[in-house]
Amino acid sequence: MTAFKTLDDLGDVTGKVALVRVDLNLPMQDGAVTDDTRIRAAAPTILELSEKGAKVLLLAHFGRPKGERVSTQSLSMVVGAVEKTLGKEVMFVPEIAGDVVKQAVGILRAGDIAILENTRFWKGEEKNDPELAKAIAANADFYVNDAFSAAHRAHATTEGLAHVLPAYAGRSMQAELEALDKALGAPEKPVAAVVGGAKVSSKLDVLKHLVTQVDHLIIGGGMANTFLAAKGVDVGKSLCEHDLTDTANAILATADASGCTVHLPYDVVVSKEFAANPPSLRTCNVHEVAADEMILDAGPAAAETLGDVLKTCRTLVWNGPLGAFEMAPFDAATVALAKTAAALTAEGSLISVAGGGDTVAALNHAGVAQDFTYISTAGGAFLEWMEGKELPGVAALSA
Ligand code: ADP
Ligand code: MG
């Protein structure tokens, strides 16, 4: 892992102005924040800086206003939720640069916190305009990036600011980078990866990268169907990208050449309709899927074998469910493997890192999310990291 500075490297910050990039892209309904997970993730960094006496200016984007002021996407709407989670008063500043921010900084006392306006109201944010970064930086002494989830984008407040101010990783960014490094950067071997979900096409780069990195690649979900089809299996009406069979075979060949064992299910749960507990539900060998049936989950034998694979591994990185877990009983394989991974983690024999929107939902559904070593809620940034890409927001911190 390339070195980056953390809050431990800060000297005396009493009265100094910190620009802290956080993720406040919060789910809202009828003007109210429905889930404060992202605020809680940023809270340790915000409170630590506040306790150290810095004036804390929070920077974040909200929605996609595309470089214009859109009143329904003002960050003023989240101030109440942030105050509630932090247990502190928070000021709102309707600008990100210029005299209004300067005056606000003059009013703030050491340890006070303010939220600046939605960074995406300014066109320069997504263009990573260095002039905008300089204008924002003019009112501050240092920059802290605590938004790993936005680090795959090179924007003025996720990347540009790191070039014009002393830059530090916040606590949540630091935890994420350390966990991800343990999982794929310098992992304890053998390493297993689970890649599941709906489509191969959405995770091609992930698969291509992982087969060169891990010892075991477990392919599940709809994407397993494409691999089975590529191997000549008739997958019936299953979700399957038949146009990607050559690509799938090329990935299998790369895996072979790299010493990566690819695991595909050999028993599956099928039905004729996509519904909860359908009458046509049955479990069969992958070679016995009828023309009018769909594969909707890996079978119990496969789930057990995959659990045995995890028992031989020291590190697991997981993205994508093994089946259509939203509907019973197609959650069974995902839940079974998640429970095995959690138990191995509790025993101390496995380091388990997982990420992805539906993956986190599936692990919560299995009731084991808190038992994994680390769960990333970063979505796009997590996937780009799984593709082996350097994230611009992270690279800028290391520069
Ligand atoms: P993540 O959000 O964790 O990256 P994805 O979005 O790639 O995961 O995949 C999750 C979706 O894949 C779920 O909606 C799930 O229902 C679907 N899925 C998994 N297995 C199958 C299958 N066999 N057939 C159809 N859909 C599937
Ligand atoms: Mg998804």
Side-chain angles (χ1 to χ4, degrees):
M1 184 164 52
T2 33
F4 52 86
K5 292 199 183 97
T6 71
L7 302 190
D8 297 325
D9 299 302
L10 283 170
D12 180 13
V13 295
T14 314
K16 295 248 173 76
V17 181
L19 282 166
V20 186
R21 182 57 159 95
V22 291
D23 184 350
L24 293 179
N25 201 18
L26 304 168
M28 310 257 304
Q29 214 166 15
D30 305 323
V33 172
T34 53
D35 179 355
D36 75 340
T37 305
R38 287 172 169 163
I39 310 176
R40 280 188 281 117
T45 295
I46 299 169
L47 293 173
E48 181 173 342
L49 288 166
S50 165
E51 276 152 29
K52 285 180 170 161
K55 299 182 181 184
V56 183
L57 305 181
L58 302 181
L59 285 167
H61 74 272
F62 183 58
R64 296 177 183 273
K66 303 227 153 85
E68 274 161 44
R69 272 189 197 269
V70 179
S71 59
T72 53
Q73 292 182 335
S74 169
L75 270 178
S76 59
M77 292 189 302
V78 309
V79 171
V82 173
E83 287 184 323
K84 194 166 163 220
T85 304
L86 295 180
K88 284 184 87 106
E89 217 173 288
V90 174
M91 180 194 222
F92 178 71
V93 183
E95 297 286 338
I96 55 173
D99 285 343
V100 172
V101 178
K102 193 176 172 184
Q103 283 158 16
V105 165
I107 295 166
L108 293 174
R109 292 152 305 169
D112 281 353
I113 302 162
I115 298 180
L116 308 189
E117 185 53 287
N118 186 348
T119 56
R120 288 193 183 166
F121 282 3
W122 285 267
K123 290 196 169 60
E125 165 72 332
E126 292 184 67
K127 286 189 188 143
N128 199 7
D129 178 0
E131 293 308 316
L132 179 64
K134 269 189 231 158
I136 300 169
N139 287 312
D141 298 297
F142 64 100
Y143 166 70
V144 175
N145 190 347
D146 209 28
F148 176 83
S149 58
H152 58 314
R153 312 214 186 272
H155 292 172
T157 65
T158 63
E159 203 269 351
L161 279 174
H163 298 296
V164 290
L165 283 173
Y168 303 85
R171 295 302 181 197
S172 147
M173 171 75 89
Q174 180 187 351
E176 182 103 23
L177 294 178
E178 285 169 359
L180 298 191
D181 192 59
K182 263 192 214 158
L184 275 188
E188 282 186 42
K189 292 190 160 245
V191 183
V194 174
V195 182
K199 288 186 174 177
V200 170
S201 52
S202 65
K203 293 181 184 172
L204 263 185
D205 291 337
V206 172
L207 292 166
K208 282 184 188 159
H209 179 61
L210 287 180
V211 290
T212 66
Q213 301 292 312
V214 304
D215 305 287
H216 295 276
L217 176 64
I218 294 168
I219 302 179
M223 57 206 311
N225 302 338
T226 300
F227 280 87
L228 289 169
K231 292 184 132 200
V233 173
D234 184 351
V235 297
K237 264 201 318 166
S238 303
L239 175 63
C240 179
E241 292 169 289
H242 291 282
D243 55 322
L244 285 180
T245 50
D246 287 349
T247 310
N249 279 323
I251 290 170
L252 292 174
T254 310
D256 229 20
S258 315
C260 168
T261 309
V262 176
H263 302 266
L264 289 164
Y266 49 82
D267 68 332
V268 286
V269 182
V270 298
S271 86
K272 289 182 181 162
E273 58 271 285
F274 189 26
N277 300 305
S280 59
L281 180 77
R282 68 183 190 106
T283 298
C284 67
N285 184 282
V286 285
H287 296 287
E288 295 165 358
V289 179
D292 59 350
E293 286 179 323
M294 281 180 282
I295 301 172
L296 289 166
D297 196 14
E304 197 174 328
T305 308
L306 297 177
D308 289 341
V309 171
L310 296 192
K311 285 176 193 152
T312 68
C313 291
R314 298 282 298 155
T315 303
L316 165 68
V317 46
W318 187 334
N319 171 259
L322 297 181
F325 74 98
E326 298 94 336
M327 229 178 292
F330 307 113
D331 57 338
T334 304
V335 169
L337 195 64
K339 285 191 170 156
T340 303
L344 294 169
T345 307
E347 279 169 23
S349 72
L350 190 70
I351 292 165
S352 51
V353 174
D358 292 294
T359 309
V360 176
L363 297 180
N364 280 323
H365 167 72
V368 298
Q370 71 288 345
D371 301 324
F372 271 56
T373 310
Y374 190 79
I375 299 273
S376 173
T377 53
F382 180 81
L383 274 182
E384 287 200 21
W385 166 80
M386 274 186 90
E387 291 167 3
K389 289 193 184 141
E390 182 165 68
L391 309 185
V394 175
L397 285 178
S398 315

